[in-house]
Amino acid sequence: MELEQESVTKIVHRLRRAEGQIAGVIRMLEAGRDCKDVVTQLAAVSRALDKADFSVVASGLKQCLTSPESELDVAAMEKLFLSLA
């Protein structure tokens, strides 16, 4: 199933932000920054990726529930949610 363009745009924006954060973490490591600062930024990256993950699953679930031609595969949706744990 293909996600709606509006959802894709928002998710890509989140991922681009995370991409920038990852580049920042790499620069911090290369510059020898304090471990606490690096870990703080890694936690921010992790949260950004988690939000992107949940957005993809939520958008897909919404489409499954509202689209008359799609069949909701409960087992597949459960597996997707558990893969985020």
Side-chain angles (χ1 to χ4, degrees), residues 5-82:
Q5 188 56 45
E6 181 180 343
S7 296
V8 170
T9 300
K10 290 178 183 179
I11 294 165
V12 168
H13 181 72
R14 283 186 189 278
L15 291 172
R16 295 238 188 267
R17 192 174 325 138
E19 181 179 41
Q21 289 173 314
I22 290 170
V25 169
I26 291 170
R27 286 190 301 274
M28 290 172 74
L29 287 168
E30 291 173 341
R33 292 280 301 271
D34 185 66
C35 179
K36 180 182 173 189
D37 295 335
V38 172
V39 170
T40 299
Q41 287 304 308
L42 284 172
V45 170
S46 180
R47 284 190 303 274
L49 291 175
D50 286 344
K51 287 180 181 181
D53 287 343
F54 286 118
S55 292
V56 169
V57 173
S59 295
L61 181 57
K62 179 179 146 189
Q63 280 184 248
C64 284
L65 292 173
T66 59
S67 176
E69 67 271 355
S70 78
E71 294 180 23
L72 180 62
D73 184 344
V74 176
M77 292 307 294
E78 182 179 346
K79 186 176 179 178
L80 277 175
F81 276 114
L82 291 175

